[in-house]
Amino acid sequence: MTDVTSTVVRLKLSLLRNGLRQSGGRRAAFVASAVLALLFAVLQLLGLVLLRGHPHADAVAVPAAAVLALGWTFMPLFFPGGDETLDPTRLVLLPLRPRPLVRALLAASLVGIGPLFSLLLLVGCAVSVAHGAAGYGVAVVGVVLALLICVALARTVAAANVRLLTSRKGRDLAVLSGLVIAVGAQLVNFAARSLGSAGLGELAPVADVLRWLPPASAIGAVHSASEASYGTAAVQLALSGAALALLVGAWARTLIRLMTAPDGATLQVPDQAGRRRTPGGGLGGLLPAGRTGTVMARSLRYVWRDPKTKAAWVTSLAIGLIVPVFNAVQGTGSVYFACFAAGMLGIQMYNQFGQDTSAFWMVAMTVSSARDAYVELRGRALALLVITLPYATLVTVLTTALLDDWRRLPEVLGLSFALLGAMLATGAWTSARFPYSIPQEGHRNVAAGQTGLAWIAIFGGMVAAALLCAPVITLTIALNVTAGGDAWTWLLLPAGTAYGATITWAGLRAAAPRTAAHLPEILTAVSRG
């Protein structure tokens, strides 16, 4: 048993050491991230220690342990490539029994920055509520239990989803990490504002519930023992121990299944009808016929399947919702912030051909005239509108409802549609005038040597879009400052919609001849990297 455990721990250390040897950049990134993470953990530890003696210290310590466990639960789903030992299928061919392997992997999981960060945070949580010999004695056991539960929870989730995580669709889950981080940051900001005005006592009801849920129950046991509630502390420790046993048991059963059952990805499973599905069904049946529908289907498929395109869309969707809604919830927003949704999604029209990379040559082979180029650009714009129009409308309605400012709904929708039309127009033109390549590998979104080109295309296009929106913005201001103009602001909805549609049509018409005339240059630019 000990030999297996020590071997797997040494394997984990070797993986870390060899990874750092690959390049100086990776070594520098690891050191920088380790220093920042440990610095943050030490600051958290000091902050929690300073809470000792505060009447609501447990209201902070117990939820902090629960939030830490939540992070350990989801990190394997969003960052499956962060730890090579998370994939137990790599050890399937070795003569290892599941239960010794569980102990070995559990020990290996305690090696790294994440476990050290968690240990410091849990120690701070325990010290902040511990008093007396009994409290400190339970703290030692509670911290160990809480840390083991966090690690076992991550391993159980990773093992249960390992087939998914090692597939292409599973790796695409990492795209959602940006969304979770963005939303989480806003939630933390909102909670901090609320606590700043109401005090830590607001967390007490939450802590009263979480102190009975592992691993927060282990920290709750420390507080109970410090208050001389030894029976309660024993029950809370028992809950934590039972949770750890259940997680390890579930992990072991999952390992047995992974090491003995065939991979479903290697099995040929026919559909229920015993024949292949035709491409005419599903979304394809709802799109227009001809080239327009084909282009729309291809663009929407890129959004769903291409990791880089999906990441850009997820980020835009998240920020477009977070900025207006969270500002409205905090009472510091304006209904006009809803235009942010249309602006963020309108950016997706920029560099349309770069999203195709070297495959653009197949599109270029079908474009022989300005008319062909116009239909191609129109199909891409319509595909974007399929998502953007209902999304911008939803965000605007939601922001208006949160601010209870329904009177301004028509004018904000009109502004959003006008802005969207302007960005579609400038996006089509800059796609033809300033195309650049998007590397498929790595984290770069612009090929080497084309960064300046990308800045000109995106920010120059955004400035141009703002100038194109000037007539609608001027009309909005005029109606709001003129006496009696409020009665006519509803006209901004049809006016903005018509203006957006017109400017989109004009932009596509202007971009089509240049696209058709400069296909070789566009193909060269988007095929780099």
Side-chain angles (χ1 to χ4, degrees), residues 279-288 293 296-301 386:
L283 181 62
L286 302 176
L287 300 178
M296 291 179 66
R298 184 210 315 141
S299 298
L300 293 173
R301 193 173 293 116
V386 167

Side-chain angles (χ1 to χ4, degrees), residues 20-332:
L20 296 178
R21 288 176 177 173
Q22 290 183 3
S23 66
R26 182 167 182 173
R27 197 158 46 245
F30 178 84
V31 172
S33 61
V35 170
L36 290 176
L38 294 179
L39 178 62
F40 182 71
V42 170
L43 292 176
Q44 293 291 314
L45 172 62
L46 294 176
L48 288 166
V49 170
L50 291 176
L51 280 177
R52 278 179 52 82
H54 193 283
H56 298 295
D58 62 312
V60 176
V62 173
V67 171
L68 180 65
L70 191 65
W72 275 92
T73 302
F74 287 102
M75 284 303 167
L77 297 178
F78 291 142
F79 303 102
D83 185 355
E84 290 85 348
T85 61
L86 281 175
D87 184 5
T89 58
R90 298 171 183 261
L91 308 175
V92 165
L93 297 180
L94 299 179
L96 300 173
R97 293 184 178 276
R99 294 197 179 277
L101 184 59
V102 165
R103 285 189 287 270
L105 291 176
L106 186 62
S109 299
L110 297 174
V111 177
I113 300 174
L116 181 56
F117 174 90
S118 303
L119 178 61
L120 293 175
L121 185 60
L122 290 171
V123 167
C125 292
V127 171
S128 66
V129 296
H131 299 283
Y136 283 107
V138 173
V140 174
V141 179
V143 168
V144 173
L145 274 176
L147 181 61
L148 290 176
I149 289 174
C150 288
V151 174
L153 187 59
R155 286 291 183 172
T156 304
V157 171
N161 296 277
V162 68
R163 302 293 191 194
L164 173 65
L165 296 177
T166 53
S167 66
R168 180 185 62 82
K169 290 184 178 180
R171 288 190 293 269
D172 287 348
L173 282 173
V175 172
L176 298 177
S177 61
L179 173 62
V180 172
I181 292 172
V183 175
Q186 289 295 330
L187 287 175
V188 170
N189 182 37
F190 181 64
R193 286 172 179 264
S194 301
L195 290 176
S197 59
L200 296 178
E202 291 293 313
L203 289 175
V206 178
D208 289 340
V209 175
L210 293 177
R211 70 177 70 253
W212 296 101
L213 300 177
S217 58
I219 304 300
V222 179
H223 180 259
S224 298
S226 300
E227 298 294 325
S229 300
Y230 302 119
T232 302
V235 172
Q236 290 170 324
L237 284 178
L239 286 173
S240 299
L244 179 60
L246 289 174
L247 286 172
V248 172
W251 184 12
R253 287 192 296 272
T254 304
L255 282 178
I256 293 173
R257 186 174 67 252
L258 288 172
M259 299 175 75
T260 57
D263 186 354
T266 63
L267 303 177
Q268 298 291 332
V269 181
D271 62 5
Q272 295 179 354
R275 56 183 180 274
R276 296 175 61 185
R277 292 180 296 175
T278 60
L283 181 62
L286 302 176
L287 300 178
R291 178 170 186 145
T292 300
T294 302
V295 174
M296 291 179 66
R298 184 210 315 141
S299 298
L300 293 173
R301 193 173 293 116
Y302 277 160
V303 173
W304 181 250
R305 293 185 177 181
D306 181 63
K308 288 293 181 71
T309 306
K310 183 186 293 186
W313 272 92
V314 168
T315 303
S316 296
L317 289 168
I319 297 177
L321 176 67
I322 288 172
V323 170
V325 170
F326 275 82
N327 278 282
V329 171
Q330 294 174 5
T332 60

Side-chain angles (χ1 to χ4, degrees), residues 496-522:
T497 303
Y499 183 82
T502 303
I503 203 70
T504 299
W505 173 82
L508 296 177
R509 284 291 185 185
R514 180 173 182 85
T515 301
H518 295 83
L519 284 175
E521 293 91 335
I522 296 175

